[in-house]
Amino acid sequence: ISNNSYACWLQYKKIANVAYEKKVKLFLETVVAAESSTVMETALEELQAAVSKMTGVHLEKSAEPPANHGIVLSTAAHFHQEEIIGRHVLAGLGADGYVIRSLATDRKKLLYLVGKTDKGVLYAVFHLLRLLQTEQPLEQVNIVENPRNPLRMINQWDNLDGTIERGYAGKSIFFENNKITANITRIKDYARLLSSVGINAISINNVNVFEAATKLITKQLLPDVAAVADIFRAYGITLFLSINYASPIQLGTLPTADPLDERVQQWWKEKASEIYRYIPDFGGFLVKADSEHRPGPFTYGRDHAEGANVLAEALKPYGGVVIWRCFVYNCLQDWRDRSTDRAKAAYDNFKPLDGEFLDNVILQVKNGPMDFQVREPVSPLLGAMKQTNQVLEFQIAQEYTGQQIDLCYLVPQWKEVLDFDTYAKGEGTTVKSIVSGSVYGFSHSGIAAVSNIGNDVNWTGNTLAQANLYGYGRLIWNPELAAEEIAEEWIVSTFGNEPLVTAMIREMLMESWSIYENYTAPLGIGWMVNPGHHYGPNVDGYEYAVWGTYHFADCHGIGVDRTTGSGTGYVSQYFSPNKEMYESLENCPEELLLFFHHVPYTHTLKSGETVIQHIYNTHFKGAAQVAWLIDKWRELEGKIDQERYENVLDRLQRQLKNAVEWRDIINTYFYRKSGIADEQNRTIY
Ligand code: GCW
């Protein structure tokens, strides 16, 4: 097995451009680190190893600042060369920020990497390495970077038995046989990947905490958890655990987990103190409570604030936080009940509690009101709670977007979410400004996402799905980056600097979300997947189910009326003018038409097509586009290594089968329901 698949974007291949290599080598003589710390050591190690691979130069570590050629690593507090970087520049750095500046004259070639903290230095090193990978000149570097989001987190949905909930790339790299794995090399390599794109927090176990995982916070498993925390700490990443709300019962001897019971409060306090003895910088708890059959405060007639605050009190003395998920809804709904709308649930459950949560509680809100569908509106809860810390939750794992068989580059989708104007505090109150904490001055905020990795050699099943992990980190560091820009960076770091390869893969990535949307559920309706595993088409798979996931298609029309006038009233959860926009059939963005409105198949879209013809057209188109993706990819044979070429080709061929299946099932279903023929008389079964 070659390193190509495994190293992802940290290939650090020998620089092929001789002229460029010659120029950069002038900067690469010695390196000095102004102080020492674990993270600083990591920064040095990463720099030396990558430079040696890319240029063959062994960067000598020196105690003295370089006279003429070399690199200086320093934190702001230890950096006193004001003529190089002014004090005001350093003073402007946020917690994880950094400056990279070069000084290049005929005689001197110097690079200064100065972080607010040692973590900033590490990020600066990865940035410099990115410059080298993408062959940027070093002579005039003047970079100041501050991450937009304070919390930049990954959620693993890994179970202790080694399986991964919604995992599409093998087994867990963390757990096997109800224990933490002995193979920590892989964990370290994961830490490198994450840190290189700015991730600073991780929860390592599934939010559904079953029996074995409940024990992660006991002395039986804490020493091993602490060892994992050590690995991540060296890369500037803080470790969190998902906990079972019923822990006081399951691990202790208490008959209750009632948050207002003093024994329960005491139990959590002792538990926190125990955890911090093993992991002094433990991040805190991630909690899925009263959601999909997981225990929570509802059992005791308490609300989510009371539920979360007991944990927050316990963690507070140590600086820990509680990340409480808002994915709370009735998962035992009766499909005959038209008054309950799952989309409304998060807002209905949490909005009334604004102001009730302690300062070290953060609510984690999924990007959409349902569940990571191909297309959803933005959750109206984002921005609706002015006195409560919020983080946004994305899903990098492609549960509903092709399961890492089908190609679906998600950065464009995430960008739409981040750029969405909620109008929560007037025009311009974008989601990105809310979750970065700047609008309401949150004490904790940022973004989390469900990871897409497993122990497959290439980490993500489909090699091209690595772009989503990379892209997630880069985008939440700087939401202003363009999706193309991120794609391009990823391709060059991953496959090398070959313009043709870059152009081709970039085009494939950029088209992929729209292609996937074309052949799956139309116009924002969602959910037409096989129940349980969620891959492949099944129009009525969730129609008469308990999950609150309906499309209401009959022989006349399709869609969920969520308007205030005649529907569930979900639209009223948005601020004006969004609520008016969604309420109106005219003004509702068409890609979300069936999310908000029930319309006849003959309803005419702005393109002039009817809804039924749109369904046919997009489904024929989507499947044809997958064939186009395959043609594109075939052009790359011989231009990239065979291993990755074949991995992607195999996935694309499976994707084509899936797309054809979707096309035919969706078209046939709606043809039979509507009785309206395709204008172009294409084959519908
Ligand atoms: O959509 C659902 C997934 C579950 C997941 C849940 C959640 C971890 O199908 O697998 O459970 O979302 O986000 O809690």
Side-chain angles (χ1 to χ4, degrees), residues 157 165-166 207-208 288 292 325 327 366 371 399:
W157 282 1
E165 183 151 351
R166 311 308 174 185
V207 290
N208 288 322
K288 173 174 178 175
E292 299 184 330
R325 295 176 84 235
F327 186 60
K366 286 191 183 185
D371 194 7
E399 178 177 358

Side-chain angles (χ1 to χ4, degrees), residues 157 165-166 168 206-208 288 291-292 294 325 327 329 342 366 370-373 393 395 399-400 450 527 532 534 542 547:
W157 282 1
E165 183 151 351
R166 311 308 174 185
Y168 309 106
N206 188 359
V207 290
N208 288 322
K288 173 174 178 175
S291 163
E292 299 184 330
R294 303 319 302 151
R325 295 176 84 235
F327 186 60
Y329 67 99
R342 168 166 166 184
K366 286 191 183 185
M370 296 297 274
D371 194 7
F372 302 134
Q373 300 300 293
E393 179 177 332
Q395 192 185 41
E399 178 177 358
Y400 294 97
V450 183
W527 296 111
H534 301 163
Y542 273 116
W547 303 94

Side-chain angles (χ1 to χ4, degrees), residues 237-252:
I237 300 170
T238 303
L239 186 122
F240 287 68
L241 290 172
S242 298
I243 57 106
N244 180 342
Y245 202 79
S247 292
I249 304 171
Q250 299 200 358
L251 298 176

Side-chain angles (χ1 to χ4, degrees), residues 205-386:
N205 65 305
N206 188 359
V207 290
N208 288 322
V209 183
F210 302 110
E211 207 185 317
T214 303
K215 296 194 184 121
L216 281 169
I217 53 169
T218 64
K219 62 174 184 294
Q220 205 181 316
L221 292 174
L222 274 170
D224 293 336
V225 176
V228 175
D230 291 344
I231 296 170
F232 281 111
R233 182 182 306 107
Y235 281 87
I237 300 170
T238 303
L239 186 122
F240 287 68
L241 290 172
S242 298
I243 57 106
N244 180 342
Y245 202 79
S247 292
I249 304 171
Q250 299 200 358
L251 298 176
T253 50
L254 296 182
T256 176
D258 180 354
L260 297 196
D261 187 307
E262 271 175 32
R263 294 166 300 173
V264 172
Q265 293 166 356
Q266 192 52 33
W267 191 88
W268 281 114
K269 283 190 175 141
E270 282 164 21
K271 188 45 81 184
S273 128
E274 184 184 359
I275 295 170
Y276 280 90
R277 258 179 274 138
Y278 289 92
I279 310 166
D281 58 352
F282 179 64
F285 300 143
L286 174 61
V287 194
K288 173 174 178 175
D290 290 314
S291 163
E292 299 184 330
H293 313 295
R294 303 319 302 151
F298 285 176
T299 311
Y300 312 99
R302 313 299 181 196
D303 64 32
H304 285 278
E306 291 165 323
N309 288 347
V310 61
L311 304 176
E313 287 280 10
L315 295 170
K316 201 168 189 92
Y318 315 95
V321 301
V322 176
I323 305 179
W324 191 270
R325 295 176 84 235
C326 296
F327 186 60
V328 177
Y329 67 99
N330 178 5
C331 66
L332 290 173
Q333 210 184 306
D334 184 338
W335 62 268
R336 298 163 191 85
D337 164 21
R338 297 287 288 253
S339 68
T340 308
D341 180 3
R342 168 166 166 184
K344 292 164 76 176
Y347 186 100
D348 284 347
N349 275 292
F350 286 91
K351 166 77 182 169
L353 300 176
D354 193 14
E356 307 281 318
F357 292 90
L358 291 178
D359 202 38
N360 61 330
V361 176
I362 316 174
L363 297 185
Q364 181 163 309
V365 185
K366 286 191 183 185
N367 62 270
M370 296 297 274
D371 194 7
F372 302 134
Q373 300 300 293
V374 184
R375 175 75 69 173
E376 273 187 60
V378 165
S379 169
L381 190 57
L382 291 162
M385 298 179 72
K386 310 188 175 183

Side-chain angles (χ1 to χ4, degrees), residues 429-586:
T429 319
T430 53
V431 169
K432 65 189 170 197
S433 66
I434 293 161
V435 301
S436 73
S438 65
V439 173
Y440 300 126
F442 293 151
S443 56
H444 301 275
S445 63
I447 304 182
V450 183
S451 175
N452 65 345
I453 70 111
N455 71 355
D456 276 6
V457 172
N458 70 354
W459 301 88
T460 55
N462 186 334
T463 298
L464 297 184
Q466 293 172 0
N468 284 329
L469 184 61
Y470 180 89
Y472 167 70
R474 297 288 292 129
L475 180 68
I476 68 168
W477 178 281
N478 178 7
E480 307 311 320
L481 292 175
E484 292 89 340
E485 212 177 331
I486 294 176
E488 196 162 318
E489 255 182 38
W490 173 76
I491 298 163
V492 172
S493 316
T494 305
F495 291 102
N497 213 341
E498 175 60 61
L500 188 81
V501 173
T502 306
M504 205 93 92
I505 300 180
R506 187 186 51 214
E507 193 183 357
M508 292 175 68
L509 291 177
M510 289 307 295
E511 292 295 318
S512 59
W513 176 36
S514 139
I515 294 174
Y516 190 80
E517 184 175 27
N518 279 341
Y519 64 79
T520 55
L523 299 166
I525 194 80
W527 296 111
M528 295 178 173
V529 293
N530 284 307
H533 61 73
H534 301 163
Y535 190 75
N538 187 339
V539 183
D540 284 335
Y542 273 116
E543 193 59 11
Y544 306 102
V546 292
W547 303 94
T549 44
Y550 316 117
H551 54 66
F552 298 127
D554 58 18
C555 65
H556 308 292
I558 176 178
V560 187
D561 185 350
R562 294 194 158 101
T563 63
T564 321
S566 52
T568 69
Y570 164 75
V571 299
S572 69
Q573 294 183 347
Y574 290 92
F575 292 91
S576 290
N578 288 336
K579 70 168 88 169
E580 290 79 12
M581 172 178 72
Y582 291 135
E583 178 83 16
S584 143
L585 187 56
E586 275 274 276

